[in-house]
Amino acid sequence: MAIRRIVTQGDERLGKRCRPVTDFNKRLHQLLDDMKDTLEEAQGAGLAAPQVGVLRRAVVIADGDGGMLELVNPEILEQSGEQTGPEGCLSVPGRWGMVTRPSFVRIRAQDRYGNWFEMEGEELMARCFCHETEHLDGRLYVEHIDRFLTEEEVEEYYETEEVRKEGR
Ligand code: NI
């Protein structure tokens, strides 16, 4: 296991469409393990292979419970609803923008051994599914925004969000 370097906006690899994973071998397992270490170290929500310079369709996502999901060749099957909130990306460090995404997303993906499974996500997980699969098509969330948020705006959003959740 190792921490890999995260490439940032401007690196041409972030703009490339990634190829499907076809070999579910040790090399893939090493990549996924390294991506999990790298995501943990960076304390991000998700990381796609092109962000560590590998143009293959593989993603890891923090599950919010201290674990991580591995999605190989993920595809969005269904999406519905709408949510708008601040979104960031480890390849666009220290910046945030308001992005509208579906509030419910169903995907299918393969695990590290090639077995297909389906999964549903809401709220943050739905957002991650969209953000990470876009990375695999060479896209960054910044294409959805008019401008970056200021630090104050991000803080203000989360304070309001806290109040809303406590009030439930
Ligand atoms: Ni990202």
Side-chain angles (χ1 to χ4, degrees), residues 46-48 51 88-92 131-132 135 139-141:
L47 186 70
Q51 293 182 274
C89 178
L90 293 172
S91 293
V92 191
H131 179 115
E132 300 307 331
H135 269 300
R139 298 166 62 193
L140 294 179
Y141 82 89

Side-chain angles (χ1 to χ4, degrees), residues 45-84:
L47 186 70
Q51 293 182 274
V52 293
V54 177
L55 299 181
R56 289 285 180 178
R57 304 186 80 82
V59 159
V60 296
I61 295 177
D63 69 6
D65 265 329
M68 283 190 202
L69 306 172
E70 300 176 356
L71 307 177
V72 179
N73 298 326
E75 295 165 20
I76 292 176
L77 298 175
E78 190 189 331
Q79 55 185 57
S80 60
E82 197 178 284
Q83 59 173 326
T84 301

